[in-house]
Amino acid sequence: MDWEVRQDPERLYKAFRFPDFREALAFANRVGELAEAHHHHPRLTVEWGRVAVEWWTHSAGGITEKDREMARLTDLLG
């Protein structure tokens, strides 16, 4: 897994690249569906050709095993 660990709060971060906004938005929607299905929601930043995804658990104050699993599942959508 090539996710970066960022701080304040501790979280998993990865930027996914796409050829245009339409494909970036479609990916963000797929991540949203995944999040809803697992009742665990990331921070998504959608830009032209790029989606940044950040996973962490607010109640734990950082990264949990569920966040790692969600990151793994997110990679499968890319």
Side-chain angles (χ1 to χ4, degrees), residues 52-71:
V53 182
E54 296 176 90
W55 290 105
W56 77 97
T57 301
H58 297 279
S59 61
I63 300 167
T64 65
E65 202 51 46
K66 183 159 190 169
D67 300 303
R68 288 182 178 84
E69 175 64 7
M70 296 304 290

Side-chain angles (χ1 to χ4, degrees), residues 6-11 43 56 61:
R6 293 200 169 173
Q7 299 301 318
D8 298 318
E10 181 186 56
R11 63 202 185 276
R43 175 187 292 164
W56 77 97

Side-chain angles (χ1 to χ4, degrees), residues 30-78:
R30 291 194 302 274
V31 175
E33 292 297 324
L34 173 71
E36 281 294 299
H38 290 267
H39 307 287
H40 195 62
H41 303 91
R43 175 187 292 164
L44 298 174
T45 304
V46 182
E47 303 175 88
W48 190 96
R50 181 178 176 272
V51 177
V53 182
E54 296 176 90
W55 290 105
W56 77 97
T57 301
H58 297 279
S59 61
I63 300 167
T64 65
E65 202 51 46
K66 183 159 190 169
D67 300 303
R68 288 182 178 84
E69 175 64 7
M70 296 304 290
R72 186 188 71 76
L73 293 172
T74 301
D75 280 337
L76 297 176
L77 301 175

